[in-house]
Amino acid sequence: MKIAKGKLSLSIMAIVICTVVFAGLIFTEDLWAITGRSIFKHKSCSKKETVTNSSKNTTEVREKQKVTSFDDDFIDEDENYINSHQSCSIEKGKWAFNTSAELFYTDESCPYLDKQIACLRNGRPDSDYLYWEWQLDDCILPRFNATALLEKLRGKRLMFSGDSLQREQWQSLVCMVESHIPSDKKSMKRSPSLSVFKIKDYNATIEFYWAPYLIESNSDDPIIPDTKKRILRVDSIAKHARHWIGVDFLIFNSYVWWTSDPKMKSLWGSFANGEEGYEELDSIIAFTMALRTWANWIDSNVNRSSTRVLFTTASPTHMRSADWKKEKLTRCSNETRPVTGRGYWGTGSNKRMMEVVSSIVGRMKFPVTFVNITQLSDYRKDGHVSLYTGELSDKQKDDPYTYADCIHWCLPGVPDTWNQILYSYL
């Protein structure tokens, strides 16, 4: 967070403190929220047998502390961008270890990362998780090019909206482009609900709006840690949707907050009518109703000639180490390599919820593009924050079954690949 020079007034200091506390609470709350084959196929990149890689050899992450510049390394768009005549599935591929890969950024070079996800800075001893690349079976993803993306965003707004996993994807994309922008030509303004990264020379913004259920709830802000006290307004979306109006690229997600309890308290109408009279619905039913509310709003209010809408599929959790046949109850702690078995599908990816999303979006009038990250991320049990949040005591670190965060991802890390996929669609 960028702080203006000079003395800060007490009111400004209070805002800064509240924002930091809010960010920490979001990460902690998502960890509390969890107790306990990709169905989306897309037309993708053109076929090619090998993945172009002109990265230079690198040494240890701490020694280089630099980012890769692709400004002078434009690729052939005709060969590598999305081609409607060729089709391949984003989920069909493998993670390949590439020690020569240079990072787009590091947790030291990017000033916009939340403390809780800067794993190396928080003492994670291994760095192999940074060097796995997603390689597709039948096609390749276009090389991420920050300058090309900024040109695409010239005069436009791009907004991520959803939960803290979506906020990670936002931070990842900001970090992937910010080093290409002079310091006096960029700015960041963060608040609990809306955060805006502004690129002045391009008159563009990359934004994040907090809406973990997409529809309205009594736990939007402030967050209610006790999930059983949360109440959803499954047919109310206007409070959030007013922030989506006029945005050129909208990227949504909603998943992990729906997995906290098998039943969810649900109401109809505005909270101005009070919180009495709720019904306890199966979480999958409440999720279905909420997503229909979102879909109806998109169909009725978004102009397809000026706005693109994308939906990021479920970000898997890795809370159950037995999923990958590990006997110790340690969740994802001490994991340093991805799952290697093709088609692995853990208990942290709810296929039924994904089918609901696929069904509802498939019936929408407005064309929505899926950013399909579930299968490829499910392999990455090694990529989570785990015990390296920077907030745990040594005693807590000795109890990974209770304290390991196997929901959020280290940055740099897996969400950077999500943004490479997003870039291919843009």
Side-chain angles (χ1 to χ4, degrees), residues 73-137:
D73 190 19
F74 285 87
I75 55 178
D76 187 341
E77 294 186 359
D78 292 334
E79 279 194 350
N80 293 280
Y81 277 21
I82 291 180
N83 185 335
S84 61
H85 300 291
Q86 299 287 354
S87 176
C88 71
S89 297
I90 293 295
E91 74 269 22
K92 292 182 179 180
K94 65 180 180 180
W95 287 100
F97 190 64
N98 181 5
T99 56
S100 67
E102 291 193 47
L103 306 179
F104 298 110
Y105 62 95
T106 72
D107 58 0
E108 295 291 344
S109 68
C110 183
Y112 305 117
L113 290 181
D114 287 333
K115 172 186 176 183
Q116 296 90 344
I117 55 178
C119 298
L120 286 181
R121 194 192 310 164
N122 294 332
R124 179 164 177 165
D126 65 298
S127 61
D128 282 357
Y129 70 93
L130 296 170
Y131 297 102
W132 292 93
E133 296 181 337
W134 183 245
Q135 295 183 358
L136 300 174
D137 289 343

Side-chain angles (χ1 to χ4, degrees), residues 24 27 30 47 52 75 129 172 196 256 283 285 306 310 340 349:
F27 282 95
D30 276 351
K47 294 189 176 181
T52 303
I75 55 178
Y129 70 93
S172 164
V196 180
V256 72
S283 59
I285 294 176
S306 60
L310 302 97
T340 56
S349 301

Side-chain angles (χ1 to χ4, degrees), residues 188-239:
M188 174 70 81
K189 183 178 181 180
R190 296 191 66 170
S191 72
S193 59
L194 180 63
S195 297
V196 180
F197 177 69
K198 186 173 183 179
I199 309 106
K200 297 178 182 177
D201 280 351
Y202 290 85
N203 188 29
T205 58
I206 302 174
E207 308 174 35
F208 171 74
Y209 178 74
W210 171 255
Y213 294 111
L214 296 182
I215 47 86
E216 186 178 354
S217 81
N218 67 346
S219 188
D220 291 336
D221 181 23
I223 294 170
I224 298 176
D226 186 348
T227 59
K228 297 188 181 303
K229 293 182 179 179
R230 296 178 184 173
I231 301 175
L232 311 179
R233 292 283 183 179
V234 292
D235 64 342
S236 296
I237 201 168
K239 184 184 79 171

